[in-house]
Amino acid sequence: MSRVLGFLLPAVLLLGCSAAPDPVPVPAPVQAPASSGAFTTTDVAWLQLAEALHTRALPLLELARDRAADRPLAGLAARLGAEHEGGRGRLRALLAQARVAGENPHARHDMPGMPTAADLTALSGLRDDAFDRRFVTLLRAYLEQLALVAKGEQSAGGARQARELASAMRRDHTAHLAELDRIAGRT
């Protein structure tokens, strides 16, 4: 069963991507049983997707500093920005351990939960309450997607280190969603 999930998760993750103009081939590590410490294709797909999501969200998070009317919302965005820089470092370190190098194939894709260039442009033209409403919607979609793909890695990943990072990130993203919901109740 875990082998089937190991093949399905990368397929589901990749289906959420829109086609990039020049796709970069993904090095495929050897598939290992889910109980091993070896990195599987599921692990690599999750690491790359999570790293791309974190990277693309940073400009979104930066916009809140000067545009949000709600100071706790701006504070959450600032904390998330700092935490996500650290998260990107942990994701990249595991990609290096898995011997995956080169450009992240998800970096130029628009995927569920990922702020697009059009989203950022539209958000850049907003301030105060209008900004807050749109920002909360985009941030919620982003955090929900991170939690969802982390859950998939937890259940179908092979490398213990990747599953542990996914567990920690899912816990953090779920807590951030709860905090966002508390803040949004006031926005």
Side-chain angles (χ1 to χ4, degrees):
M1 176 69 168
S2 64
R3 182 163 280 208
V4 170
L5 287 173
F7 289 113
L8 288 177
L9 181 63
V12 170
L13 293 176
L14 293 174
L15 286 176
C17 299
S18 61
D22 297 307
V24 177
V26 179
V30 175
Q31 181 72 28
S35 62
S36 89
F39 288 91
T40 65
T41 55
T42 300
D43 298 324
V44 171
W46 174 72
L47 290 165
Q48 290 176 323
L49 179 58
E51 196 276 333
L53 281 161
H54 278 72
T55 300
R56 288 276 295 275
L58 291 173
L60 170 74
L61 298 169
E62 289 173 14
L63 285 171
R65 178 181 53 227
D66 299 325
R67 297 180 180 285
D70 189 285
R71 296 325 311 158
L73 184 60
L76 173 62
R79 270 195 348 273
L80 285 175
E83 288 177 24
H84 283 40
E85 281 294 346
R88 285 174 63 210
R90 290 189 302 276
L91 292 160
R92 288 176 177 172
L94 287 181
L95 283 166
Q97 268 186 279
R99 295 189 174 99
V100 176
E103 183 182 352
N104 185 334
H106 301 294
R108 293 179 288 152
H109 296 179
D110 291 337
M111 297 173 277
M114 183 180 275
T116 65
D119 290 331
L120 295 174
T121 298
L123 199 58
S124 295
L126 301 175
R127 289 198 175 277
D128 301 325
D129 291 338
F131 174 89
D132 290 0
R133 283 189 299 275
R134 184 66 184 138
F135 179 81
V136 165
T137 299
L138 292 171
L139 185 57
R140 181 175 286 115
Y142 164 69
L143 291 171
E144 287 172 348
Q145 185 67 14
L146 282 174
L148 178 68
V149 297
K151 179 181 178 181
E153 169 61 16
Q154 281 181 274
S155 63
R160 177 190 48 77
Q161 310 96 303
R163 289 191 323 270
E164 287 173 356
L165 180 57
S167 177
M169 286 186 161
R170 181 176 175 212
R171 186 176 48 250
D172 290 347
H173 302 324
T174 301
H176 294 139
L177 275 165
E179 184 176 356
L180 179 63
D181 287 342
R182 283 191 301 274
I183 291 169
R186 297 192 328 243
T187 303

